[in-house]
Amino acid sequence: MKDYQLAWKNLWRNRRRTMITAASVFFAVFFALVMRSFQLGTYDHMFKNVIESYTGYLQIQDSAFADEPVIDNCFVLSDQQVSALEADKNIDKVIPRIESFALAASGNRTQGVIVMGIDPVLENEVSGIKDRLVKYRFTPEIVKEMSEDSVPDKIKKLLPLFENESYSSVGRLMADLDLKESDTAVILPLIRKKASFPNGYFGETSPGVLIGDKLSVYLHLNVGDTLVMVGQGYHASSAAAKYVVDGIVKLPTPDIDNKIVYLTVNSARLFYDTPGMVTSAVLDIKDNSEEAIAETKTRISSTLSSPLKVLVWQEMNEILVNQMEADSKSGLIMIGILYLVIAFGVFGTVLMMMSERKREFGMLISIGMQKRRLAKVVSIELILMGLLGLITGVIATIPFAFYFNTHPIRFTGQMARMYEDYGFEPVMPFMLPDTYYLWQTLVVLIMLVIAVFFCIRKIYRINVINALRA
Amino acid sequence: MNVLEINEVYKTYHDTEVAVTAVNGVTLSFERGEFAAVVGPSGSGKTTLLNLIGGLDQPTDGEIIVAGHRLSELRPSELIDFRMEHVGFVFQSYNLIPVLTASENIGFIMNLQHWPADKRKKRTDELLHSVGLADRGNSRPSQLSGGQQQRVAVARALATRPEFILADEPTANLDSKSTDTLLDIMEKLNRDEEMTFIFSTHDSRVVRRARRIITLEDGRVVSDERR
Ligand SMILES: Nc1ncnc2c1ncn2[C@@H]1O[C@H](COP(=O)(O)OP(=O)(O)OP(=O)(O)O)[C@@H](O)[C@H]1O
Ligand SMILES: [Mg+2]
């Protein structure tokens, strides 16, 4: 009889207790991982959204603009500077932007907006603006019309959830409506016919604008309508102009989607009276890993002269990053409490098991089993029990993580509105298994080690005579 | 040849209100093949003496020598190995490992001593037969009666042929029929294997079958008769 065989038999002497203990470890691990997975996944998703649709990973700004983003803090970006930057090994393109504020109006509605002067061609490299043009929109009329049509019941049921929703890609549309590849032949053409949104894009010399989807809904603007903007130009000159809406884009971050107006850089320079200038230059990078970004920042910083400086996405989105960090901390505290509760439960069981078997331990030591060996057997029992819970817990979360990574939980109704009020997209994708799995596994292993250590100590302290009398 | 020598052994407990001297100057020696009963009123020190002999407890004074080993010279872990090699134990109850079968329980100490599997199996079968449980080798302790469990315990205790077997009131929980059966088996093994048995008891019918009767009173040996 080997020690592990004895341990295995002991493990099943009280089947129910073993199962309950392993199950409590399982649930702790499962819930902690699931919680963390969608927390981290949500952060990741939000960061990606804001980076890819708005700030990019790296920007050059005047340091004054970084502190106070007003048009007066813009700078001249020369062609030589651009080509010098583009010579860097990690920089693909340098993309000019003029970013400021204005008041936009249409009819009797007004809205403070972010004005972005962009290069209509180059900008696509960073924020893929062209791909964000709205292609389908489910207006209430269209939803009503389609519900009366011969679409499958499944879709009829889902459609009302997405009333007023706009789509810039078929992929997202298919995910929302739960469409399979096999459905596409019938349903997509129908959607194309009913819900296609006539949209456009501006040419380099166009005087028009692109506006966010939510902004267009708020201001009741459609493609071809006119938007009036009033603002403050360079050195307190006044800025005012009328623009035709060339297109409507859907941005993933609701807080930007409801207040963004894109102009061409040239229009923006005219509007703000800043010829040849930019407020920021987005660096379109090749490798966006954290190390590569940091290295690129250091390299570029050394070539820039004051007052210009390089900002990474965290610096440009400080509020969002801080918000996520605070949220992450509260999540970790929740997980900590969960583990603590489970740990007490498991320790209670271990304690009970030890005192129940005191007499048996006394007998075993009496007949010649070394304490070291007894401790080994009991340790194997605990480790098996703990690992059973830990491993099954980890394995059970993996399918969830993968499924909800590609099929994020999408809030609707009240919950969705709440999220959007905070400026977040109302989706919760899971983060794929990553280092956070290792951390949580480590936490459970540490708890296991403590339990094992506790039992070993107890065994070494057994007094045979007392134990036999127990 | 003596398998066990006890010289002027004292055991005093100081952890009580008044110090209790449970064993008070005992000197005894045992030869191979003895079948000895330790008797005396409750509290006379039987259990304490047996624990000292088995190296489970340390005397306050005096010396115990088993097969050339002075127990006072052994470190705690050496004492455990000493017990594994030289002493067989049978307790009043709860002798067996509940998750193992009768055979596995009998084989447990052979296992600790790293006997090869075939030799272990042969010895186990032989002992199962000797204690009249040839067909119960695969039973768990919970499936055996109290008397059968004690027989398995006796078989385990002598499996590796220790110097002697210590049994503290091995029949205390048994009815008279099981008591007789157990004693028959102990006597037979004492005869066939020349195994030394030292047991304590309250039961006069058990005492009657002993060939040596050591009577304790207040921790002292008041009589030591051989028959
Ligand atoms: N751990 C201990 N601490 C203090 N006193 C003890 C301890 N163990 C035994 N004693 C005392 O030593 C004396 C002898 O006890 P022991 O158990 O050896 O008697 P016994 O002859 O086996 O009695 P019984 O027939 O009731 O089993 C008793 O007075 C008992 O109270
Ligand atoms: Mg006693």
Side-chain angles (χ1 to χ4, degrees), chain A residues 87-140:
Chain A
D88 185 273
K89 63 177 179 192
N90 197 27
I91 296 180
D92 206 13
K93 284 262 159 38
V94 176
I95 293 141
R97 274 189 190 168
I98 290 188
E99 191 180 336
S100 190
F101 305 98
L103 196 64
S106 165
N108 54 9
R109 291 202 168 194
T110 54
Q111 166 77 17
V113 294
I114 304 169
V115 177
M116 284 266 263
I118 57 168
D119 184 313
V121 180
L122 289 182
E123 184 64 27
N124 285 310
E125 306 283 336
V126 256
S127 55
I129 193 81
K130 224 172 193 168
D131 299 331
R132 297 184 190 279
L133 287 168
V134 170
K135 292 201 181 65
Y136 308 99
R137 187 185 266 181
F138 291 123
T139 61

Side-chain angles (χ1 to χ4, degrees), chain A residues 229-330:
Chain A
M229 286 209 297
V230 191
Q232 196 178 49
Y234 196 56
H235 287 172
S237 62
S238 68
K242 254 181 8 178
Y243 296 97
V244 172
V245 176
D246 280 340
I248 291 172
V249 287
K250 163 127 179 115
L251 295 184
T253 312
D255 205 27
I256 299 174
D257 196 41
N258 65 13
K259 53 163 88 75
I260 188 101
V261 174
Y262 289 102
L263 271 64
T264 62
V265 186
N266 292 334
S267 308
R269 282 172 176 161
L270 282 174
F271 184 71
Y272 287 114
D273 196 16
T274 52
M277 299 178 129
V278 298
T279 59
S280 39
V282 181
L283 304 180
D284 179 28
I285 55 176
K286 292 167 191 162
D287 180 355
N288 65 10
S289 66
E290 241 167 90
E291 310 89 75
I293 291 173
E295 283 166 20
T296 313
K297 178 184 173 172
T298 327
R299 263 198 321 272
I300 301 302
S301 292
S302 65
T303 68
L304 291 178
S305 54
S306 172
L308 296 188
K309 72 181 218 181
V310 184
L311 285 92
V312 291
W313 65 271
Q314 287 97 334
E315 295 169 301
M316 295 182 276
N317 298 291
E318 223 166 75
I319 295 173
L320 184 64
V321 170
N322 287 341
Q323 238 169 354
M324 296 301 107
E325 262 165 19
D327 192 68
S328 169
K329 272 197 198 102
S330 67

Side-chain angles (χ1 to χ4, degrees), chain A residues 327-360:
Chain A
D327 192 68
S328 169
K329 272 197 198 102
S330 67
L332 286 178
I333 289 171
M334 287 260 297
I335 289 174
I337 292 171
L338 177 68
Y339 275 133
L340 213 64
V341 169
I342 298 293
F344 274 112
V346 171
F347 265 68
T349 319
V350 169
L351 214 67
M352 198 159 72
M353 182 271 283
M354 290 297 288
S355 69
E356 254 174 41
R357 286 166 69 183
K358 195 169 174 188
R359 179 116 187 222
E360 179 182 335

